[in-house]
Amino acid sequence: VVGEEDDDDVVVVRDVNKPTALFQYLQLKCWSAASRRVRHRPREATIWVGKGGYYATVPGKWKVLPLHAATILGAPSRLIIEILNAYPDAARRKDLNGSLPLHLAACGLVTY
């Protein structure tokens, strides 16, 4: 777990090799398990998961919130809404490419 500054807030970042349970369920596209997890552990919706270091420029580096991941992976809209209810500010948080979750949904990007 790494702390870094993002818009004057301390941000928790988990390495992709040790992601949160919510992120793991999203990666596996276990939508019902992800839904249960976000309802029982809403704080996990606030935790970034990333790869490639956090302060250096590294090829292939990325960092996403569960909302970004759910959007990229094509989660059902009810799960997207549950994640947004757990962490409404996620809709305003940009990934390392400067994309909001809305941009990812509009582009249909699957890059992670």
Side-chain angles (χ1 to χ4, degrees), residues 4 15 34 47 53 60 64 71 80 92 95 106:
E4 61 180 39
D15 186 82
I47 298 174
V64 295
T71 302
I80 301 283
R92 298 183 328 197
D95 67 12

Side-chain angles (χ1 to χ4, degrees), residues 45-88:
T46 70
I47 298 174
W48 295 83
V49 174
K51 176 184 173 192
Y54 304 103
Y55 298 105
T57 303
V58 176
K61 178 179 171 180
W62 56 268
K63 179 180 85 169
V64 295
L65 283 167
L67 182 59
H68 295 82
T71 302
I72 291 165
L73 294 169
S77 57
R78 67 172 168 71
L79 179 55
I80 301 283
I81 291 167
E82 288 173 340
I83 293 170
L84 275 168
N85 286 336
Y87 185 42

